Amino acid sequence: MDKVWSKKAGQEIVSRLDKLFKNNIIRVRYWIIVNYYAPNHGYNLFFNIYRPYHFTRSISIGQLSNCSFEELIMVLNEIRTKYHFTFQYHHFSKDELRRLAREVNQ
């Protein structure tokens, strides 16, 4: 896997977000959950939508299997170029969380 793959994977996730994100609805909160999945050594990405008086929806937008941590950072930065959603990280070490906060959540 390389930089070209990371850019292509990020653009594919952005195209999925384009279909799901609706900017014309008021009081809706959007965020992305990035979950580390150890057996597959990969990451799952979920797009969450919360509307008042409705249940929260969590939609799978990507699965990055056999992906290194550096490639994950490149994919998240590619998503960040278009959308500035909040990222929540699950099952990461403290050092990885610090690095993600420094390099992705600028």
Side-chain angles (χ1 to χ4, degrees), residues 2-105:
D2 57 352
K3 193 171 186 175
V4 174
W5 175 86
S6 301
K7 187 170 182 74
K8 187 180 283 188
Q11 289 172 348
E12 182 179 318
I13 292 170
V14 166
S15 70
R16 290 180 189 155
L17 287 171
D18 289 338
K19 297 174 188 170
L20 297 171
F21 178 62
K22 295 175 179 60
N23 198 18
N24 58 356
I25 303 174
I26 37 180
R27 296 187 337 174
V28 177
R29 295 188 315 181
Y30 300 98
W31 68 98
I32 295 175
I33 293 179
V34 181
N35 184 22
Y36 174 66
Y37 185 64
N40 199 10
H41 189 64
Y43 304 94
N44 296 324
L45 282 82
F46 299 96
F47 184 58
N48 290 338
I49 304 168
Y50 171 75
R51 292 177 58 191
Y53 310 111
H54 291 82
F55 289 110
T56 302
R57 293 182 59 198
S58 182
I59 303 163
S60 176
I61 56 170
Q63 183 176 16
L64 308 171
S65 53
N66 295 326
C67 178
S68 70
F69 187 70
E70 287 75 23
E71 292 168 340
L72 173 70
I73 290 175
M74 287 188 271
V75 169
L76 294 178
N77 282 328
E78 186 66 31
I79 295 170
R80 180 67 79 186
T81 57
K82 178 154 186 185
Y83 292 111
H84 294 282
F85 296 128
T86 301
F87 287 107
Q88 286 184 352
Y89 306 104
H90 295 277
H91 305 114
F92 287 90
S93 68
K94 289 183 181 181
D95 293 335
E96 290 172 336
L97 289 173
R98 280 190 213 109
R99 187 166 172 205
L100 285 166
R102 203 174 47 240
E103 295 183 20
V104 177
N105 296 341

